[in-house]
Amino acid sequence: MNATEKLIASAEAHTAHTYHPLPVVVATADGAWLTDVEGRRYLDLLAGYSALNFGHRNRRLVDAAKAQLERVTLTSRAFHHDRFAAFCSELAELCGMELVLPMNTGAEAVETAVKTARKWGYRVKGVPAEMAKIVVAGNNFHGRTTTLISFSTDAEARADYGPYTPGFEIVPFGDLTAMRAAVTENTVAVLLEPIQGEAGVLVPAAGYLPAVRELTRERNVLFVADEIQSGLGRTGRTFACEHENVVPDVYVLGKALGGGVVPVSAVVSSAEVLGVFRPGEHGSTFGGNPLACAVALEVIAMLRTGEYQARAAELGARLHRELGKLTATGSATAVRGRGLWAGVDIAPAQGTGREISEKLMHRGVLVKDTHGPTIRIAPPLVISEKDLDWGLAQLAAVLR
Ligand SMILES: Cc1ncc(COP(=O)(O)O)c(C=O)c1O
């Protein structure tokens, strides 16, 4: 066995098998590139499912983390610390909102948004106790907690985890008629990914998000946008909702907010909505810790320049132009996406998404399949044009 095989066998012997990773063992990383334990280099076209929008070990983020490591890393929320106020005010400003509730992982932030919406429903909207309903979309992915998988439509994600949390109504993504019918006087929120990532980068038809915005406003229902994967530059704008001039009531953020360095997530909203919480009603030991705040502050400063969004838009146009050729030649049956983000449905004759991912790995390019025929492409936004072109040339070669 070589080093790679030994490490994979050892990992498999000592871990619960909740993942089926590609057989590559990463040792170091820089920008858009990874190096494995045997010294082979790979172009990363997945970027930690958008957690690495700013690339691996981005210098500004590593420096911010190092400087904070030398000062203070954790206080818990029992005490104040000197990075917290800036993190909250600057994140709120980036979002055009008023208040921030910091958490760590994406799933925790969505859970927090669910709790926020329910509490707002009871305390502000006046929904009778225990009656709050949240409308969600089919094929959603919001995380892995018991409550979040309770409203998943993915059988694998749900099986054997019941009893499930009640209070959710699932309607097909993109179906306004179904959403209108599902919203009742007890509905407190509509929770949506503006672009569904795990489902295969599904972009709803133009006009869908504005119509959801109008409906939720009319019916006094919160529009909660889970921008954990779609937000923070990935689509060519700070938020995917911006492409349709939609401002939700609540943003749920994660992944890239921690710069690929530490887990940082947050719920960001108005004072009316997040103002419902009182001490003791929600919390997290690590949420909003000094190290997380220091890294996230740097992420926010980088996003403020607009540079990364512009890059995602520009390189995204290039990506989609190239991927369009795959559908033209019949290698792919569909290509979807926005900015530097794409879901490619591989034509069945070419093999499964997994087979294509493995072939690409052997050519030094890393992507990951999702749901059978689909591969997802989400390079770090700092990737060079030349590297992107090279990666796409490898895909074209694999599909030939
Ligand atoms: C839209 C969306 N929401 C929530 C999550 C969950 O985030 P985490 O894995 O950090 O819990 C993900 C992760 O892929 C996601 O894409």
Side-chain angles (χ1 to χ4, degrees):
M1 277 206 267
N2 61 24
T4 299
E5 287 160 353
K6 271 191 207 144
L7 285 163
I8 291 174
S10 174
E12 286 188 348
H14 300 286
T15 189
H17 291 181
T18 53
Y19 281 89
H20 182 32
L22 290 175
V24 54
V25 182
V26 175
T28 60
D30 186 29
W33 289 89
L34 297 163
T35 304
D36 76 4
V37 287
E38 311 200 45
R40 286 182 293 246
R41 295 183 79 226
Y42 301 87
L43 183 64
D44 182 0
L45 294 189
L46 185 67
Y49 301 104
S50 288
L52 288 151
N53 280 0
F54 309 100
H56 292 273
R57 295 191 307 111
N58 183 291
R59 190 40 46 203
R60 283 182 69 170
L61 299 176
V62 168
D63 286 348
K66 276 186 179 163
Q68 193 59 40
L69 282 171
E70 298 298 336
R71 295 178 69 236
V72 57
T73 55
L74 188 69
T75 54
S76 81
R77 294 288 306 281
F79 317 122
H80 293 274
H81 68 78
D82 65 1
R83 312 307 301 264
F84 190 69
F87 164 69
C88 294
S89 64
E90 291 187 26
L91 183 58
E93 197 184 317
L94 182 80
C95 298
M97 296 281 178
E98 292 167 312
L99 299 183
V100 168
L101 179 41
M103 299 300 287
N104 310 283
T105 64
E108 276 180 306
V110 184
E111 282 274 353
T112 302
V114 166
K115 289 169 84 174
T116 304
R118 286 180 170 183
K119 211 176 257 298
W120 173 86
Y122 297 128
R123 295 215 178 146
V124 179
K125 183 171 176 175
V127 170
E130 302 294 311
M131 298 294 282
K133 279 270 186 324
I134 295 179
V135 178
V136 298
N139 292 327
N140 69 73
F141 186 86
H142 295 289
R144 300 285 193 174
T145 63
T146 320
T147 291
L148 302 183
I149 58 95
S150 292
F151 57 86
S152 169
T153 53
D154 176 350
E156 251 176 2
R158 278 174 59 92
D160 302 326
Y161 296 133
Y164 301 105
T165 308
F168 299 92
E169 200 73 52
I170 305 171
V171 297
F173 187 56
D175 184 340
L176 268 173
T177 311
M179 182 170 292
R180 271 198 203 99
V183 170
T184 69
E185 60 203 15
N186 291 335
T187 304
V188 295
V190 167
L191 165 64
L192 288 181
E193 298 157 83
I195 294 175
Q196 291 191 322
E198 299 295 311
V201 196
L202 305 186
V203 184
Y208 175 66
L209 296 175
V212 171
R213 177 64 286 186
E214 202 179 307
L215 173 70
T216 47
R217 194 170 280 134
E218 262 170 33
R219 308 289 288 273
N220 193 24
V221 165
L222 300 178
F223 184 175
V224 181
D226 178 348
E227 293 250 16
I228 288 170
Q229 196 167 153
S230 59
L232 309 183
R234 171 59 54 194
T235 65
R237 303 280 178 89
T238 305
F239 303 108
C241 283
E242 281 178 57
H243 291 278
E244 298 236 35
N245 296 316
V246 163
V247 179
D249 298 295
V250 179
Y251 284 113
V252 190
L253 304 176
K255 293 196 193 278
L257 191 56
V261 180
V262 276
V264 187
S265 67
V267 174
V268 189
S269 186
S270 63
E272 176 193 301
V273 173
L274 278 175
V276 295
F277 287 107
R278 296 287 165 266
E281 293 179 349
H282 188 61
S284 159
T285 304
F286 291 94
N289 70 73
L291 183 59
C293 288
V295 173
L297 270 167
E298 203 59 33
V299 165
I300 296 163
M302 287 160 69
L303 285 169
R304 278 245 176 79
T305 65
E307 213 179 285
Y308 297 89
Q309 296 88 323
R311 217 178 149 68
E314 200 181 304
L315 290 180
R318 198 177 184 93
L319 170 74
H320 287 284
R321 201 168 50 237
E322 286 307 307
L323 293 178
K325 294 180 189 164
L326 300 180
T327 39
T329 57
S331 307
T333 55
V335 175
R336 297 167 298 272
R338 191 158 255 170
L340 210 42
W341 197 20
V344 181
D345 294 345
I346 304 294
Q350 300 279 352
T352 64
R354 174 77 188 193
E355 284 160 358
I356 298 302
S357 301
E358 287 182 359
K359 283 186 185 166
L360 276 170
M361 182 194 79
H362 291 301
R363 286 176 164 264
V365 175
L366 297 181
V367 297
K368 193 70 173 47
D369 53 304
T370 177
H371 300 290
T374 307
I375 57 169
R376 211 169 351 161
I377 300 183
L381 310 183
V382 297
I383 192 171
S384 70
E385 267 178 29
K386 186 170 143 273
D387 288 346
L388 180 64
D389 288 351
W390 179 80
L392 294 173
Q394 302 315 304
L395 176 60
V398 159
L399 293 177
R400 201 157 286 146

